[in-house]
Each structure stands twice: as structure tokens, then as C-alpha cells.
């Protein structure tokens, strides 16, 4: 059978072929009530970013915070952009995560495909009267396809647990229902994964991040640790490192002595801050996972630890480590 290839070539609609980053101008079609306009005023940067994120969610793209210009210690200009703005440079890092060409050994990071394609869609804000921010420039054209509504739950700033969902997760956790089960219940209630507006990981991270979505604490204990704690958990010791990891978080291991005089780590935590609130949360997690408080807790002379132990373990005896005591003897009474 003979085919007319010239006819087939001219039947291809060139407008249906989209190559990201090739300057194609796609303008989302949404209601004008969600679209930013030049001259729009906001009382704060956070309010402006929330509005732009809501616009991005309705339009079908991800938003992120861009650069800023500070003059005289005051924020003068701020940019919010499409998540595909610019081009992400490749980084070379060693095994410790240090991006320094002189460090050895020298390895590449795990290869991840970049989503950035040089999209120029953005909003520019300028400071007005030192307190308000005005939309000074708005570019709404994109050079990539928009995200489908069913996939918006995977876009970073588009997925967010509502206050009602957070309250539901909290109440279900008090009934000993895990976060995964809480997510599955919401999935059934809302009629599908895409209707929840968040992912399973967002539910898991709900009680570990702050309002800025920064990780502030993690707690870990397994079944073997629980068995060891029940057998040897009368006396437990814990101490905090000084942010020695690349994430700048404090590592707090909890240690006990078994019947062979060996140290056994029963649980551990990562904290962003060494505050009373952080240590209180960590001790509450220990009490929740093991079901009973230790009889004796040994720590260094940290005032935040002292107050947290008194609040969570009121019937536990708190003692100071002899190593720290002997270390301070020379300073207090002299070397002789």
C-alpha cells in the first residue's frame, strides 16, 4: 500500500508539540479573582506568598520564593516565581556533603532530573511606606505544561494540611491510630488521594515540622529497643551533640547499661533547637513509646534538660554525670 508522506507531514499540528524551555508562552485560564494584578497591596510578605501559592494552585503550577533586595537593612523588593524558574547548576560534593573541589574523595550527588526549564513567570513586590508591599510586576506566561488537578498534591507549596485535617490527625493519634491510617481514613472520606490535598508523607511529618515547614525534631525507637528498655531501663543516660552533622541538627542518643556492662542505645532523637520545648517533646516521645519512665536519668548540667526532665518525669531522680563533675573540679577548686 502506498502512502502520501507529504500529506501526513502537513497533518501534524505543530502547536500540539511542546518542548519545555523553548519560549512557548502558556497563560493559565483561571478566574480574575485569583490572578494577581499590578498595584495589588499586601500587608506582609507571607500574605502575598499565600495569595501567589493559591493562584499557582488554581493555575496548575508550583510556586517558590525567589530572590530579594535589601537596602539599609529593610526589605525593598521580593520575588515569587514558578518552581521551574531558572536552571539549577550541577554541584559536586564529597562523601560528607561538602561541595569543595579540594576535598577528597570527590563524588557527584545522586543524579536527580531537574524540573527547571527557565520559566519566567513571576511576581515582583516592592515595599511601600515601610510596611505594605505592592505588586510592581507580574508575568503570567509559562514555557511548560500546567500540572493536572489530580497531580497538584505532589507540588510542594500546593499540598497543605488544613486545620481540620490537622485536628483529625491529632485526635486519631490520641486513639492510637497511626498517621498512615489517618491518611487512609481521610482518603476514603474525601473520595480519593487527590482530594486530600496532601500526601502520606505530609501526614507523617505533621508533628515534626514548624509553621515554616522546617524539620524541628525526629524520634526513633524499634521493637528491640523497647525490649532492652523494659529489661535494663531503670537507669538511662542521654547527651546532646553540638550540631556535628551537615543538617545542623542536634543528635540525642539515649543509652543504658545491660547485664554485661555494655552500653546499649535504646532510642535517639534529632532536634533543631536545644530548648525546653524540644527536650520536653523528646522525653514525651520516649514515655509514649516505652510506657514507663526510668527511675534514674543521668545527664550533663544543661538547664533545658533539667526543666524538661522535671516536667515529664516528676518521680524520676535526676543525677549529673561524674565525667562532667570531674571535668569542672579543676576549674572550681584548682588543679592541685
Amino acid at each position: 500500500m502506498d502512502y502520501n508522506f507529504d500529506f501526513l507531514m502537513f497533518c501534524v499540528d505543530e502547536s500540539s508539540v511542546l518542548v519545555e524551555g523553548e519560549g512557548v508562552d502558556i497563560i493559565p485560564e483561571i478566574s480574575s479573582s485569583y490572578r494577581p494584578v499590578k498595584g495589588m497591596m499586601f500587608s506582609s510578605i507571607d500574605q502575598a506568598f499565600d495569595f501567589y501559592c493559591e493562584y499557582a494552585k488554581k493555575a496548575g503550577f508550583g510556586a517558590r520564593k525567589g530572590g530579594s533586595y535589601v537596602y539599609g537593612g529593610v526589605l525593598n523588593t521580593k520575588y515569587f516565581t514558578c518552581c521551574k524558574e531558572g536552571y539549577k547548576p550541577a554541584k559536586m560534593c564529597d562523601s560528607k556533603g561538602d561541595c569543595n573541589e579540594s576535598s577528597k574523595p570527590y563524588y557527584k550527588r545522586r543524579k536527580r532530573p531537574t524540573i527547571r526549564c527557565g520559566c519566567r513567570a513571576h511576581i515582583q513586590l516592592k515595599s511601600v511606606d515601610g510596611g505594605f508591599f505592592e505588586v510592581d510586576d507580574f508575568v503570567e506566561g509559562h514555557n511548560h505544561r500546567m500540572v493536572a488537578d489530580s497531580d497538584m498534591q505532589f507540588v510542594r507549596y500546593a499540598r497543605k494540611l488544613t486545620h481540620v485535617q490537622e485536628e483529625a490527625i491529632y485526635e486519631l493519634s490520641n486513639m492510637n491510630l497511626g498517621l498512615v491510617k489517618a491518611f487512609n481514613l481521610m482518603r476514603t472520606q474525601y473520595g480519593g488521594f487527590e482530594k486530600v490535598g496532601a500526601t502520606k508523607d505530609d501526614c507523617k511529618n505533621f508533628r515534626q515540622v514548624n509553621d515554616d515547614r522546617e524539620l524541628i525534631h525526629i524520634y526513633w525507637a524499634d521493637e528491640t529497643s523497647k525490649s532492652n528498655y523494659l529489661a535494663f531501663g531503670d537507669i538511662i543516660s542521654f547527651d546532646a551533640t553540638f550540631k556535628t552533622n551537615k543538617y545542623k541538627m542536634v543528635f540525642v542518643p539515649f543509652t543504658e547499661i545491660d547485664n554485661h556492662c555494655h552500653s546499649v542505645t535504646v532510642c535517639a532523637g534529632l532536634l533543631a533547637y536545644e530548648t525546653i520545648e524540644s527536650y520536653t517533646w523528646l522525653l514525651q516521645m520516649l514515655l509514649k513509646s516505652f510506657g514507663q519512665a526510668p527511675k534514674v536519668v543521668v545527664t550533663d548540667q544543661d538547664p533545658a534538660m533539667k526543666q524538661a526532665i522535671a516536667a515529664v518525669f516528676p518521680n524520676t531522680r535526676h543525677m549529673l554525670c561524674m565525667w562532667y563533675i570531674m571535668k569542672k573540679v579543676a576549674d572550681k577548686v584548682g588543679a592541685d
Side-chain angles (χ1 to χ4, degrees), residues 104-336:
K104 300 294 183 180
Y106 199 55
Y107 305 101
K108 287 185 178 181
R109 284 182 180 270
R110 184 175 59 179
K111 292 183 179 180
R112 292 181 178 178
T114 179
I115 65 171
R116 299 193 185 183
C117 59
C119 183
R120 299 182 62 84
H122 70 273
I123 184 175
Q124 176 185 347
L125 302 172
K126 69 175 182 180
S127 177
V128 178
D129 297 331
F132 293 89
F133 292 89
E134 179 184 2
V135 177
D136 190 44
D137 187 29
F138 172 50
V139 177
E140 56 180 334
H142 298 259
N143 63 349
H144 54 85
R145 292 185 179 89
M146 300 295 103
V147 180
D149 293 339
S150 59
D151 295 329
M152 284 302 295
Q153 59 176 319
F154 302 110
V155 178
R156 180 182 179 187
Y157 283 108
R159 63 178 199 259
K160 183 179 181 181
L161 292 170
T162 64
H163 179 71
V164 175
Q165 292 172 334
E166 291 176 349
E167 288 292 329
I169 293 174
Y170 182 80
E171 294 297 333
L172 290 172
S173 65
N174 291 337
M175 298 170 61
N176 293 327
L177 289 177
L179 299 175
V180 175
K181 291 183 178 180
F183 175 79
N184 291 331
L185 287 174
M186 288 191 293
R187 178 204 63 184
T188 304
Q189 180 181 4
Y190 288 100
F193 292 101
E194 68 279 1
K195 301 294 182 61
V196 178
T199 64
K200 190 180 299 183
D201 290 337
D202 293 324
C203 295
K204 292 179 180 179
N205 296 331
F206 161 58
R207 304 184 72 174
Q208 296 176 349
V209 298
N210 58 13
D211 294 336
D212 296 327
R213 300 178 64 87
E214 296 174 338
L215 183 65
I216 55 176
H217 46 227
I218 292 178
Y219 173 80
W220 169 86
D222 58 17
E223 294 302 320
T224 302
S225 300
K226 294 179 181 180
S227 300
N228 289 332
Y229 182 86
L230 292 176
F232 315 111
D234 292 342
I235 302 176
I236 194 169
S237 174
F238 71 96
D239 192 10
T241 63
F242 294 95
K243 300 182 179 181
T244 56
N245 52 80
K246 65 180 181 179
Y247 300 104
K248 305 301 181 182
M249 298 188 74
V250 178
F251 179 62
V252 187
F254 290 80
T255 308
E256 62 188 12
I257 304 298
D258 64 10
N259 54 1
H260 299 287
C261 295
H262 293 163
S263 297
V264 179
T265 300
V266 292
C267 59
L270 284 172
L271 303 176
Y273 309 102
E274 294 185 82
T275 61
I276 299 174
E277 292 77 12
S278 297
Y279 284 121
T280 299
W281 176 88
L282 190 60
L283 296 178
Q284 288 174 343
M285 292 298 102
L286 183 148
L287 186 60
K288 182 178 179 180
S289 60
F290 296 147
Q292 63 185 33
K295 296 180 180 179
V296 178
V297 173
V298 182
T299 69
D300 63 353
Q301 196 172 2
D302 188 309
M305 288 183 183
K306 180 179 179 180
Q307 296 190 45
I309 292 171
V312 182
F313 302 150
N315 299 321
T316 298
R317 186 175 181 181
H318 182 202
M319 303 181 66
L320 301 182
C321 177
M322 182 59 68
W323 185 86
Y324 287 99
I325 295 176
M326 297 306 298
K327 184 179 179 181
K328 289 181 177 291
V329 167
D331 297 332
K332 300 296 183 180
V333 301
D336 294 337

Side-chain angles (χ1 to χ4, degrees), residues 17-83:
V17 180
L18 174 60
V19 179
E20 293 192 353
E22 293 297 328
V24 180
D25 196 20
I26 297 179
I27 298 178
E29 297 181 1
I30 64 170
S31 173
S32 59
S33 59
Y34 293 102
R35 183 181 288 108
V37 294
K38 192 172 182 179
M40 184 178 288
M41 300 291 293
F42 298 96
S43 60
S44 66
I45 288 293
D46 292 336
Q47 183 189 28
F49 186 62
D50 289 341
F51 180 85
Y52 191 70
C53 286
E54 187 64 25
Y55 158 71
K57 184 176 181 179
K58 297 292 183 181
F61 69 94
R64 67 181 180 89
K65 296 179 179 179
S68 58
Y69 177 72
V70 179
Y71 180 77
V74 178
L75 180 63
N76 184 267
T77 305
K78 183 64 180 179
Y79 292 89
F80 301 139
T81 69
C82 173
C83 64

